[in-house]
mmCIF file of all heavy atoms in Angstrom:
data_model
loop_
_atom_site.group_PDB
_atom_site.id
_atom_site.type_symbol
_atom_site.label_atom_id
_atom_site.label_comp_id
_atom_site.label_asym_id
_atom_site.label_seq_id
_atom_site.Cartn_x
_atom_site.Cartn_y
_atom_site.Cartn_z
ATOM 1 N N GLY A 194 3.254 27.711 207.603
ATOM 2 C CA GLY A 194 3.956 27.939 206.391
ATOM 3 C C GLY A 194 5.144 28.859 206.481
ATOM 4 O O GLY A 194 5.718 29.242 205.494
ATOM 5 N N LYS A 195 5.406 29.411 207.639
ATOM 6 C CA LYS A 195 6.621 30.328 207.787
ATOM 7 C C LYS A 195 7.758 29.690 208.503
ATOM 8 O O LYS A 195 7.619 28.625 209.066
ATOM 9 C CB LYS A 195 6.082 31.551 208.672
ATOM 10 C CG LYS A 195 4.825 32.285 207.994
ATOM 11 C CD LYS A 195 4.322 33.349 208.956
ATOM 12 C CE LYS A 195 3.107 34.051 208.382
ATOM 13 N NZ LYS A 195 2.638 35.091 209.307
ATOM 14 N N TRP A 196 8.887 30.417 208.411
ATOM 15 C CA TRP A 196 10.084 30.052 209.013
ATOM 16 C C TRP A 196 10.288 30.763 210.312
ATOM 17 O O TRP A 196 10.100 31.934 210.356
ATOM 18 C CB TRP A 196 11.265 30.219 208.053
ATOM 19 C CG TRP A 196 11.269 29.330 206.892
ATOM 20 C CD1 TRP A 196 10.380 29.426 205.782
ATOM 21 C CD2 TRP A 196 12.033 28.189 206.522
ATOM 22 N NE1 TRP A 196 10.748 28.467 204.890
ATOM 23 C CE2 TRP A 196 11.723 27.700 205.393
ATOM 24 C CE3 TRP A 196 13.208 27.602 207.333
ATOM 25 C CZ2 TRP A 196 12.189 26.531 204.813
ATOM 26 C CZ3 TRP A 196 13.723 26.463 206.802
ATOM 27 C CH2 TRP A 196 13.292 25.946 205.611
ATOM 28 N N HIS A 197 10.645 29.964 211.373
ATOM 29 C CA HIS A 197 10.819 30.552 212.705
ATOM 30 C C HIS A 197 12.167 30.176 213.274
ATOM 31 O O HIS A 197 12.577 28.991 213.086
ATOM 32 C CB HIS A 197 9.689 30.094 213.599
ATOM 33 C CG HIS A 197 8.327 30.571 213.112
ATOM 34 N ND1 HIS A 197 7.736 31.776 213.614
ATOM 35 C CD2 HIS A 197 7.328 29.888 212.300
ATOM 36 C CE1 HIS A 197 6.571 31.697 212.958
ATOM 37 N NE2 HIS A 197 6.295 30.619 212.284
ATOM 38 N N PRO A 198 12.851 31.001 214.193
ATOM 39 C CA PRO A 198 13.962 30.419 214.815
ATOM 40 C C PRO A 198 13.652 29.393 215.810
ATOM 41 O O PRO A 198 12.589 29.445 216.598
ATOM 42 C CB PRO A 198 14.475 31.732 215.621
ATOM 43 C CG PRO A 198 13.797 32.872 214.897
ATOM 44 C CD PRO A 198 12.468 32.395 214.338
ATOM 45 N N ASN A 199 14.442 28.307 215.719
ATOM 46 C CA ASN A 199 14.247 27.174 216.577
ATOM 47 C C ASN A 199 15.162 27.287 217.880
ATOM 48 O O ASN A 199 16.434 27.049 217.715
ATOM 49 C CB ASN A 199 14.430 25.880 215.914
ATOM 50 C CG ASN A 199 14.110 24.624 216.724
ATOM 51 O OD1 ASN A 199 14.018 24.778 217.993
ATOM 52 N ND2 ASN A 199 13.975 23.505 216.053
ATOM 53 N N PRO A 200 14.737 27.706 219.014
ATOM 54 C CA PRO A 200 15.628 27.832 220.164
ATOM 55 C C PRO A 200 16.301 26.594 220.643
ATOM 56 O O PRO A 200 17.342 26.661 221.301
ATOM 57 C CB PRO A 200 14.687 28.385 221.238
ATOM 58 C CG PRO A 200 13.309 27.880 220.933
ATOM 59 C CD PRO A 200 13.308 27.925 219.411
ATOM 60 N N ARG A 201 15.810 25.426 220.209
ATOM 61 C CA ARG A 201 16.389 24.142 220.726
ATOM 62 C C ARG A 201 17.569 23.761 219.682
ATOM 63 O O ARG A 201 18.340 22.761 219.973
ATOM 64 C CB ARG A 201 15.347 23.037 220.651
ATOM 65 C CG ARG A 201 14.302 23.154 221.781
ATOM 66 C CD ARG A 201 13.154 22.394 221.613
ATOM 67 N NE ARG A 201 12.429 22.794 220.216
ATOM 68 C CZ ARG A 201 11.722 23.779 220.053
ATOM 69 N NH1 ARG A 201 11.475 24.691 221.008
ATOM 70 N NH2 ARG A 201 11.159 24.022 218.782
ATOM 71 N N GLN A 202 17.741 24.556 218.638
ATOM 72 C CA GLN A 202 18.815 24.209 217.751
ATOM 73 C C GLN A 202 19.633 25.616 217.447
ATOM 74 O O GLN A 202 20.038 25.798 216.375
ATOM 75 C CB GLN A 202 18.298 23.834 216.349
ATOM 76 C CG GLN A 202 17.560 22.426 216.442
ATOM 77 C CD GLN A 202 17.120 21.823 215.174
ATOM 78 O OE1 GLN A 202 17.077 22.546 214.130
ATOM 79 N NE2 GLN A 202 16.775 20.600 215.173
ATOM 80 N N GLY A 203 19.853 26.373 218.542
ATOM 81 C CA GLY A 203 20.626 27.596 218.505
ATOM 82 C C GLY A 203 20.010 28.645 217.642
ATOM 83 O O GLY A 203 20.751 29.441 217.027
ATOM 84 N N GLY A 204 18.721 28.757 217.482
ATOM 85 C CA GLY A 204 18.123 29.883 216.677
ATOM 86 C C GLY A 204 18.062 29.548 215.224
ATOM 87 O O GLY A 204 17.674 30.444 214.553
ATOM 88 N N LYS A 205 18.371 28.314 214.707
ATOM 89 C CA LYS A 205 18.267 28.027 213.291
ATOM 90 C C LYS A 205 16.751 28.095 212.815
ATOM 91 O O LYS A 205 15.965 27.764 213.568
ATOM 92 C CB LYS A 205 19.023 26.646 212.994
ATOM 93 C CG LYS A 205 20.407 26.551 213.300
ATOM 94 C CD LYS A 205 20.958 25.155 212.913
ATOM 95 C CE LYS A 205 22.350 25.024 213.141
ATOM 96 N NZ LYS A 205 22.821 23.645 212.837
ATOM 97 N N LEU A 206 16.746 28.671 211.703
ATOM 98 C CA LEU A 206 15.418 28.814 211.143
ATOM 99 C C LEU A 206 14.739 27.374 210.722
ATOM 100 O O LEU A 206 15.472 26.586 210.175
ATOM 101 C CB LEU A 206 15.371 29.769 209.873
ATOM 102 C CG LEU A 206 15.747 31.205 210.202
ATOM 103 C CD1 LEU A 206 15.695 31.975 208.856
ATOM 104 C CD2 LEU A 206 14.672 31.901 211.156
ATOM 105 N N SER A 207 13.539 27.314 210.926
ATOM 106 C CA SER A 207 12.743 26.039 210.698
ATOM 107 C C SER A 207 11.399 26.283 210.413
ATOM 108 O O SER A 207 10.739 27.254 210.854
ATOM 109 C CB SER A 207 12.977 25.025 211.848
ATOM 110 O OG SER A 207 12.095 23.824 211.509
ATOM 111 N N CYS A 208 10.787 25.567 209.424
ATOM 112 C CA CYS A 208 9.365 25.616 209.068
ATOM 113 C C CYS A 208 8.595 24.409 209.589
ATOM 114 O O CYS A 208 7.470 24.285 209.371
ATOM 115 C CB CYS A 208 9.252 25.758 207.573
ATOM 116 S SG CYS A 208 9.767 24.334 206.585
ATOM 117 N N ARG A 209 9.361 23.448 210.318
ATOM 118 C CA ARG A 209 8.643 22.305 210.889
ATOM 119 C C ARG A 209 8.885 22.038 212.232
ATOM 120 O O ARG A 209 8.784 20.984 212.714
ATOM 121 C CB ARG A 209 9.208 21.037 209.937
ATOM 122 C CG ARG A 209 10.694 20.952 209.900
ATOM 123 C CD ARG A 209 11.126 19.739 209.101
ATOM 124 N NE ARG A 209 11.045 18.580 209.925
ATOM 125 C CZ ARG A 209 11.485 17.437 209.573
ATOM 126 N NH1 ARG A 209 12.159 17.245 208.417
ATOM 127 N NH2 ARG A 209 11.371 16.348 210.347
ATOM 128 N N SER A 210 9.251 23.152 212.988
ATOM 129 C CA SER A 210 9.443 23.108 214.457
ATOM 130 C C SER A 210 8.048 23.462 215.131
ATOM 131 O O SER A 210 7.186 23.864 214.528
ATOM 132 C CB SER A 210 10.598 23.905 214.967
ATOM 133 O OG SER A 210 10.177 25.302 214.733
ATOM 134 N N GLU A 211 8.021 23.225 216.428
ATOM 135 C CA GLU A 211 6.763 23.580 217.212
ATOM 136 C C GLU A 211 6.445 25.031 217.059
ATOM 137 O O GLU A 211 5.079 25.365 217.203
ATOM 138 C CB GLU A 211 7.009 23.215 218.673
ATOM 139 C CG GLU A 211 7.986 23.934 219.326
ATOM 140 C CD GLU A 211 8.181 23.527 220.877
ATOM 141 O OE1 GLU A 211 8.642 22.381 221.049
ATOM 142 O OE2 GLU A 211 7.666 24.235 221.735
ATOM 143 N N GLU A 212 7.352 25.861 216.817
ATOM 144 C CA GLU A 212 6.957 27.326 216.651
ATOM 145 C C GLU A 212 6.074 27.544 215.378
ATOM 146 O O GLU A 212 5.396 28.630 215.308
ATOM 147 C CB GLU A 212 8.265 28.133 216.509
ATOM 148 C CG GLU A 212 9.045 28.367 217.863
ATOM 149 C CD GLU A 212 9.724 27.078 218.311
ATOM 150 O OE1 GLU A 212 10.064 26.177 217.412
ATOM 151 O OE2 GLU A 212 10.003 26.988 219.559
ATOM 152 N N SER A 213 6.118 26.635 214.463
ATOM 153 C CA SER A 213 5.347 26.804 213.221
ATOM 154 C C SER A 213 4.062 26.154 213.374
ATOM 155 O O SER A 213 3.007 26.452 212.522
ATOM 156 C CB SER A 213 6.116 26.129 212.043
ATOM 157 O OG SER A 213 7.361 26.713 211.891
ATOM 158 N N VAL A 214 3.806 25.310 214.375
ATOM 159 C CA VAL A 214 2.540 24.599 214.518
ATOM 160 C C VAL A 214 1.333 25.394 214.861
ATOM 161 O O VAL A 214 1.541 26.243 215.792
ATOM 162 C CB VAL A 214 2.639 23.351 215.531
ATOM 163 C CG1 VAL A 214 1.397 22.650 215.724
ATOM 164 C CG2 VAL A 214 3.721 22.368 215.036
ATOM 165 N N THR A 215 0.301 25.380 214.197
ATOM 166 C CA THR A 215 -0.873 26.172 214.421
ATOM 167 C C THR A 215 -1.919 25.403 215.213
ATOM 168 O O THR A 215 -2.802 26.057 215.825
ATOM 169 C CB THR A 215 -1.543 26.639 213.166
ATOM 170 O OG1 THR A 215 -1.822 25.516 212.364
ATOM 171 C CG2 THR A 215 -0.508 27.534 212.362
ATOM 172 N N ALA A 216 -1.879 24.164 215.242
ATOM 173 C CA ALA A 216 -2.830 23.267 216.098
ATOM 174 C C ALA A 216 -2.185 21.968 216.444
ATOM 175 O O ALA A 216 -1.622 21.288 215.623
ATOM 176 C CB ALA A 216 -4.144 23.023 215.391
ATOM 177 N N PHE A 217 -2.044 21.712 217.815
ATOM 178 C CA PHE A 217 -1.536 20.426 218.203
ATOM 179 C C PHE A 217 -2.652 19.471 218.259
ATOM 180 O O PHE A 217 -3.217 19.017 219.337
ATOM 181 C CB PHE A 217 -0.957 20.715 219.616
ATOM 182 C CG PHE A 217 0.354 21.554 219.637
ATOM 183 C CD1 PHE A 217 0.260 22.871 219.795
ATOM 184 C CD2 PHE A 217 1.567 21.126 219.268
ATOM 185 C CE1 PHE A 217 1.301 23.730 219.692
ATOM 186 C CE2 PHE A 217 2.670 21.970 219.198
ATOM 187 C CZ PHE A 217 2.492 23.342 219.441
ATOM 188 N N ARG A 218 -3.009 19.015 217.145
ATOM 189 C CA ARG A 218 -4.255 18.177 216.971
ATOM 190 C C ARG A 218 -3.959 16.747 217.038
ATOM 191 O O ARG A 218 -4.805 15.958 217.588
ATOM 192 C CB ARG A 218 -4.979 18.546 215.582
ATOM 193 C CG ARG A 218 -6.287 17.847 215.445
ATOM 194 C CD ARG A 218 -6.858 18.349 214.088
ATOM 195 N NE ARG A 218 -6.968 19.919 214.135
ATOM 196 C CZ ARG A 218 -6.702 20.699 213.103
ATOM 197 N NH1 ARG A 218 -6.487 20.076 211.867
ATOM 198 N NH2 ARG A 218 -6.837 21.894 213.192
ATOM 199 N N TYR A 219 -2.940 16.197 216.506
ATOM 200 C CA TYR A 219 -2.757 14.798 216.263
ATOM 201 C C TYR A 219 -1.404 14.306 216.875
ATOM 202 O O TYR A 219 -0.429 14.979 217.168
ATOM 203 C CB TYR A 219 -2.601 14.403 214.703
ATOM 204 C CG TYR A 219 -3.910 14.735 213.981
ATOM 205 C CD1 TYR A 219 -3.914 15.606 212.903
ATOM 206 C CD2 TYR A 219 -5.067 14.106 214.186
ATOM 207 C CE1 TYR A 219 -5.022 15.939 212.194
ATOM 208 C CE2 TYR A 219 -6.194 14.190 213.534
ATOM 209 C CZ TYR A 219 -6.210 15.257 212.462
ATOM 210 O OH TYR A 219 -7.356 15.450 211.799
ATOM 211 N N ALA A 220 -1.458 12.961 217.152
ATOM 212 C CA ALA A 220 -0.304 12.238 217.592
ATOM 213 C C ALA A 220 -0.183 10.889 216.701
ATOM 214 O O ALA A 220 -1.140 10.426 216.249
ATOM 215 C CB ALA A 220 -0.420 11.913 219.068
ATOM 216 N N VAL A 221 1.036 10.449 216.715
ATOM 217 C CA VAL A 221 1.225 9.240 215.689
ATOM 218 C C VAL A 221 1.739 8.075 216.536
ATOM 219 O O VAL A 221 2.635 8.264 217.386
ATOM 220 C CB VAL A 221 2.333 9.589 214.597
ATOM 221 C CG1 VAL A 221 2.513 8.269 213.736
ATOM 222 C CG2 VAL A 221 1.847 10.652 213.681
ATOM 223 N N LEU A 222 1.086 6.963 216.421
ATOM 224 C CA LEU A 222 1.498 5.693 216.945
ATOM 225 C C LEU A 222 1.961 4.796 215.901
ATOM 226 O O LEU A 222 1.406 4.590 214.855
ATOM 227 C CB LEU A 222 0.357 4.971 217.707
ATOM 228 C CG LEU A 222 -0.347 5.842 218.804
ATOM 229 C CD1 LEU A 222 -1.303 4.850 219.486
ATOM 230 C CD2 LEU A 222 0.594 6.384 219.835
ATOM 231 N N GLU A 223 3.233 4.224 216.199
ATOM 232 C CA GLU A 223 3.847 3.292 215.107
ATOM 233 C C GLU A 223 4.741 2.249 215.779
ATOM 234 O O GLU A 223 5.261 2.510 216.924
ATOM 235 C CB GLU A 223 4.725 4.236 214.252
ATOM 236 C CG GLU A 223 5.595 3.579 213.327
ATOM 237 C CD GLU A 223 6.631 4.572 212.617
ATOM 238 O OE1 GLU A 223 6.481 5.763 212.794
ATOM 239 O OE2 GLU A 223 7.535 3.910 211.816
ATOM 240 N N SER A 224 4.906 1.216 215.067
ATOM 241 C CA SER A 224 5.797 0.101 215.554
ATOM 242 C C SER A 224 6.567 -0.453 214.458
ATOM 243 O O SER A 224 5.999 -0.818 213.340
ATOM 244 C CB SER A 224 4.965 -1.034 216.308
ATOM 245 O OG SER A 224 5.838 -2.112 216.708
ATOM 246 N N ASP A 225 7.896 -0.517 214.471
ATOM 247 C CA ASP A 225 8.699 -1.149 213.547
ATOM 248 C C ASP A 225 9.085 -2.636 213.859
ATOM 249 O O ASP A 225 9.799 -3.175 213.107
ATOM 250 C CB ASP A 225 9.964 -0.339 213.403
ATOM 251 C CG ASP A 225 9.715 0.993 212.715
ATOM 252 O OD1 ASP A 225 8.883 1.189 211.876
ATOM 253 O OD2 ASP A 225 10.417 1.970 213.077
ATOM 254 N N VAL A 226 8.736 -2.995 215.056
ATOM 255 C CA VAL A 226 9.166 -4.320 215.610
ATOM 256 C C VAL A 226 7.919 -5.329 215.782
ATOM 257 O O VAL A 226 8.206 -6.543 215.671
ATOM 258 C CB VAL A 226 9.913 -4.316 216.916
ATOM 259 C CG1 VAL A 226 11.215 -3.475 216.584
ATOM 260 C CG2 VAL A 226 9.170 -3.593 217.984
ATOM 261 N N ALA A 227 6.723 -4.804 216.081
ATOM 262 C CA ALA A 227 5.671 -5.677 216.325
ATOM 263 C C ALA A 227 5.063 -6.338 215.111
ATOM 264 O O ALA A 227 4.957 -5.546 214.098
ATOM 265 C CB ALA A 227 4.665 -4.940 217.192
ATOM 266 N N PRO A 228 4.664 -7.601 215.098
ATOM 267 C CA PRO A 228 3.854 -8.152 214.003
ATOM 268 C C PRO A 228 2.611 -7.304 213.680
ATOM 269 O O PRO A 228 1.929 -6.969 214.581
ATOM 270 C CB PRO A 228 3.644 -9.480 214.365
ATOM 271 C CG PRO A 228 4.663 -9.908 215.383
ATOM 272 C CD PRO A 228 4.912 -8.609 216.050
ATOM 273 N N ALA A 229 2.366 -7.027 212.442
ATOM 274 C CA ALA A 229 1.272 -6.263 212.115
ATOM 275 C C ALA A 229 -0.124 -6.672 212.582
ATOM 276 O O ALA A 229 -0.850 -5.876 213.065
ATOM 277 C CB ALA A 229 1.214 -6.167 210.529
#
Side-chain angles (χ1 to χ4, degrees):
K195 301 176 182 179
W196 291 73
H197 301 267
N199 185 342
R201 293 163 301 284
Q202 295 184 352
K205 293 183 179 179
L206 293 178
S207 174
C208 66
R209 50 178 286 190
S210 64
E211 63 183 71
E212 285 73 25
S213 300
V214 174
T215 57
F217 294 95
R218 185 176 306 144
Y219 296 117
V221 178
L222 304 186
E223 173 191 349
S224 175
D225 290 327
V226 295

